[in-house]
Amino acid sequence: MTEFLKEYDVIVIGGGHAGIEAAYASSRKGVSTLMITINLDTIGFMPCNPSVGGPAKGIVVREVDALGGLMGRVADKTNIQSKMLNTAKGPAVRALRMQSDKVEYQLEMKRILEDTPNLDIEQAMVKELIIENNKVVGLKTMLGTAYKAKTVIITTGTYLRGEIVIGDIKYSSGPNHQMPSIDLPKQLEELGFDLVRFKTGTPPRVNADSVDFSKTAIQPGDNEKHAFSYETTEYVEDQVPCWLTYTNTSTHKIIDKNLGRSAMYSGVIQGTGPRYCPSIEDKYVRFNDKERHQLFLEPEGRNTKEIYVQGLSTSLPDDVQRDMVHSIAGLENAVIMRNGYAIEYDAINPTTLWPTLETKLINGLFTAGQINGTSGYEEAAGQGIMAGINAACKILEEEPMILGRDEAYIGVLIDDLVTKGTNEPYRLLTSRAEHRLLLRHDNADMRLTEKAYEYGLITEERYKKFCDKRNAVQNEIERLKTFRITPTQKTLEKLQELNSAEIRDGILAIDMLRRPELSYENIMYLAEDDTKLARDVIEQVEIEVKYEGYIKKSLQQVEKLKKMNEMKIPKDLDYDDVPSLAIEAREKLKKVLPLTIGQASRISGVNPADISILLVFLEQRRGRNDE
């Protein structure tokens, strides 16, 4: 009989980006939560790039914030540079990216968690889960201490049987030479989980004092004030620049000469690496027609000399890394403070998860983050907050929160993982979202704050502020339909200046705003209207008016798919009973166990004919049940 030290509703294993959001979400739901992490000093640690956001990823950060999470808020407070990407393109692909002060980010995350009610934090290594009748009931640490739990969330990142690789040297380690987790992945295999071996990597860090920045191009942040969090009111003014340089033919000759010594090409690395974040040696091989590859020199913080050489991820030996770095303009005399390395680790096959991120094999056990086969801090945070919410909902006997592909990038991410799986580290891209015009940076709060409020994840004050903004947007759009802009001399001169067609009769303000070359400010000037609105309200009004036709079309597509997504498939359905299903479809359906017809239709290997057969069978089954 196991003797438990204490009982919790939720225990989160891991203190990375997934673990933070999971623990914070479950504790905000009012359930007792314990976070166990190998090292308290690495809570919120950024083992790779010291930045948050980017295409698609930045929108995930906004969604996490709309659901009451931490990543956006802490990124805003500790940012050293911010940039809005793709501003010359449409709103569907615009995204915010921030450089963070790596150490300050960690410290702020730890401080918030330590002050969070219903949340305890402990430094320990988890040795094993305690399972009874296929249900998780607790866990035991390496020191023999046991904790009882109603649910457990595993967010172990790249620590499961982690191995660092540099050249032909390979040793057991988590990221940045932390202790790896050895016993837990062995138990997961024994429990029937299908583990895969993945790989990721990081570039060298160099001393800023040894860099000749005059040979690089400065990359300043935006002058405009940006924020991930809808709660941010104070902005960092003194931004720190990054710098741009490139590899060259000398760099490529060094790589070519030493490819046999690269862990990737010598056979030392067995794991599959990320397609969209390749090592420099992989880029050289795959894109050998390119004369150069860009590298960004990114400061890791205000109080450190370390510079992250973005784009130079490598597992080449130490001496080759030095030669390679010294061949680059501006880095001829650079002093390497930390070597680049590759890290191999275990991940589970995510098709063994329900859309709630609870495992199908063990009741009450959830997983989130890189253990589910993803790459990136933002993807981890998005999964973490959903796992935390749904673990708490399970305990409180509430309906789980499952976000649709039309509701959030987080919904796209989780649906892709649990429905299609992944054979390489999964990275979220805008191209993965078929409804991306609906899933914009600017409207994450419009999509998710109402839901967050219903689930008790945000305060009454924050919800009221959101309602005021939503009403302001709707009221202004309606107001623009009520007055006209007339062809006065002043109006015609301004239109000519803005390269906009002249008007002969009065035109409704809302119709003028539909012109792509005219902004809301232009319309107010032409109408001699001195209405003052918040910047985020103006942004929403402009996008909703200018893209109204496209948005309506997207919403119509969503409605067509809604019926399929609402058609439930019984959990106890035996696909062997469904006649005429293709063998491949039968195998895939039995493996994924989709909850709806919509999910079934997205499984690779299940074609429309199989869906038709399944629909007919389910209809006949319902008829028999009715009789």
Side-chain angles (χ1 to χ4, degrees), residues 50-53 75-76 79 81-82 96-100 226-228:
S51 72
V52 172
D76 289 348
N79 104 80
Q81 188 191 104
S82 61
L96 182 59
R97 184 176 186 269
M98 281 186 180
Q99 292 293 127
S100 290
H226 298 302
F228 279 118

Side-chain angles (χ1 to χ4, degrees), residues 69-87:
L70 284 179
M71 179 173 270
R73 199 196 318 169
V74 176
D76 289 348
K77 188 168 182 178
T78 62
N79 104 80
I80 58 177
Q81 188 191 104
S82 61
K83 272 190 174 183
M84 185 64 75
L85 308 179
N86 299 325
T87 52

Side-chain angles (χ1 to χ4, degrees), residues 475-493:
N475 291 340
E476 184 60 9
I477 290 173
E478 290 305 312
R479 193 179 77 88
L480 291 173
K481 298 174 183 178
T482 64
F483 63 94
R484 294 177 178 274
I485 295 172
T486 55
T488 64
Q489 185 65 32
K490 177 185 173 183
T491 299
L492 295 174
E493 287 174 0

Side-chain angles (χ1 to χ4, degrees), residues 14-39:
H17 304 285
I20 285 169
E21 300 296 351
Y24 191 62
S26 62
S27 60
R28 276 181 298 133
K29 288 283 291 174
V31 301
S32 60
T33 304
L34 170 67
M35 172 195 279
I36 295 183
T37 180
I38 292 172
N39 187 345

